[in-house]
Amino acid sequence: MPSPFPVMDPYLEGYLWSDVHNALASKIRAFLAPQLRPKYAARLEVYVVEDISPASEIGILYPDVEVLQIKQSRNVTPAIHTSNIATTPPLLTLPVIQPVIVRIPIVEIRDTANNVLISCIEILSPVNKREPGLAHYRKKRQRLYNANVHLIEIDLLRRGNRPFNHPRLPDVPYLITLTQARSGVIDLWPVTLQDTLPTITVPLREGDPDAVLELQAGLNAIYDEAGYDLSIDYTQPPPPPALSDADIEWMYKHLQNMI
């Protein structure tokens, strides 16, 4: 079943995001591979980061982490105190929030002659958009730029911070960017909730024609293949942050035939 939205589905930004991220990376590789042969190949790579501050994602990306336990009486050996002063027992016990291991898939385009990295396609994860992961990701961006690698960044998450700042950066929920090697500029495709995801170029080496990536077609394909409609409760609000009144009105117009 297709998504009720002809554009980005904000409900995918919650606990399904890890699956969406993996599926979209695989679909992007599948779309690009026939265009790249025989001089280039698209490869899936995975890097691992430790989310040491997952508290902001509890109940959104990590729904099973949220466990609250009311302190109840239990048979335990009482602690030995040196005074006769009575202590107040705790009323609530909370679990210690442990770091979460996050696996982030990316698409790398390499030349088949020497396996040199030419272009990198990053689909941003929540851990890339908040500290301390944001600082680490910004360093990675700079390393790729210094290595003359083209970088495409696909940001389909409304929460978090952008990996770069600029006074003219548009205030939109989604953003696709292309930083071409040695260009000194970043091409931007701002995307509102009502906008179709863009079809963009994927640059290769100078003199070779660019590949073409249809992002909306890729997102539509994985939604249908994965059956995300079976896991999403569209009667509930989408994951935070909250939408504007205009976006909420637009969203529920598209949901009328489903709910």
Side-chain angles (χ1 to χ4, degrees):
M1 181 176 179
S3 169
F5 303 104
V7 291
M8 173 59 187
D9 187 332
Y11 287 84
L12 297 178
E13 299 177 55
Y15 76 97
L16 288 172
W17 179 251
S18 178
D19 191 85
V20 173
H21 195 155
N22 288 321
L24 186 56
S26 296
K27 186 60 67 176
I28 287 172
R29 179 180 67 168
F31 278 6
L32 292 178
Q35 303 178 55
L36 300 174
R37 297 177 62 92
K39 293 181 65 174
Y40 304 93
R43 297 286 178 254
L44 284 180
E45 295 292 338
V46 176
Y47 64 95
V48 178
V49 297
E50 191 176 64
D51 191 352
I52 63 174
S53 56
S56 63
E57 298 293 343
I58 291 178
I60 306 172
L61 191 66
Y62 312 128
D64 295 333
V65 176
E66 189 173 24
V67 180
L68 303 180
Q69 296 177 325
I70 300 297
K71 186 76 173 181
Q72 296 179 348
S73 60
R74 47 188 174 172
N75 296 323
V76 296
T77 303
I80 298 175
H81 300 287
T82 58
S83 70
N84 294 323
I85 301 175
T87 60
T88 303
L91 300 179
L92 184 66
T93 298
L94 303 178
V96 175
I97 300 175
Q98 299 290 343
V100 175
I101 301 300
V102 181
R103 296 170 59 85
I104 301 180
I106 61 175
V107 181
E108 293 185 344
I109 297 175
R110 295 178 175 270
D111 77 337
T112 53
N114 300 299
N115 198 40
V116 174
L117 180 61
I118 306 299
S119 297
C120 181
I121 302 174
E122 284 267 2
I123 304 167
L124 296 190
S125 174
V127 72
N128 297 138
K129 298 187 66 180
R130 53 181 163 77
E131 298 296 355
L134 177 59
H136 295 310
Y137 179 71
R138 283 172 171 163
K139 291 179 181 178
K140 178 183 179 180
R141 295 178 79 248
Q142 189 62 48
R143 288 196 302 269
L144 290 171
Y145 187 77
N146 293 341
N148 295 325
V149 175
H150 306 298
L151 175 62
I152 292 173
E153 294 166 291
I154 302 171
D155 186 357
L156 300 179
L157 295 167
R158 289 174 294 122
R159 61 190 182 276
N161 298 308
R162 305 288 186 204
F164 67 96
N165 297 311
H166 192 281
R168 294 176 58 191
L169 191 65
D171 183 16
V172 290
Y174 310 119
L175 187 67
I176 317 300
T177 63
L178 165 60
T179 307
Q180 296 204 42
R182 298 179 295 273
S183 68
V185 298
I186 304 176
D187 295 328
L188 282 74
W189 290 267
V191 181
T192 70
L193 195 67
Q194 297 93 341
D195 290 336
T196 301
L197 296 182
T199 296
I200 64 173
T201 58
V202 180
L204 303 171
R205 280 201 166 124
E206 188 174 353
D208 290 333
D210 296 339
V212 176
L213 178 56
E214 298 178 82
L215 287 173
Q216 190 65 61
L219 187 66
N220 293 346
I222 66 167
Y223 186 99
D224 199 31
E225 291 169 4
Y228 289 134
D229 62 295
L230 301 176
S231 299
I232 296 174
D233 183 359
Y234 284 107
T235 65
Q236 299 298 315
L243 297 169
S244 68
D245 291 343
D247 283 340
I248 291 174
E249 182 180 359
W250 175 88
M251 184 182 70
Y252 282 113
K253 283 182 180 179
H254 284 273
L255 293 176
Q256 284 177 352
N257 293 330
M258 172 175 285
I259 298 176

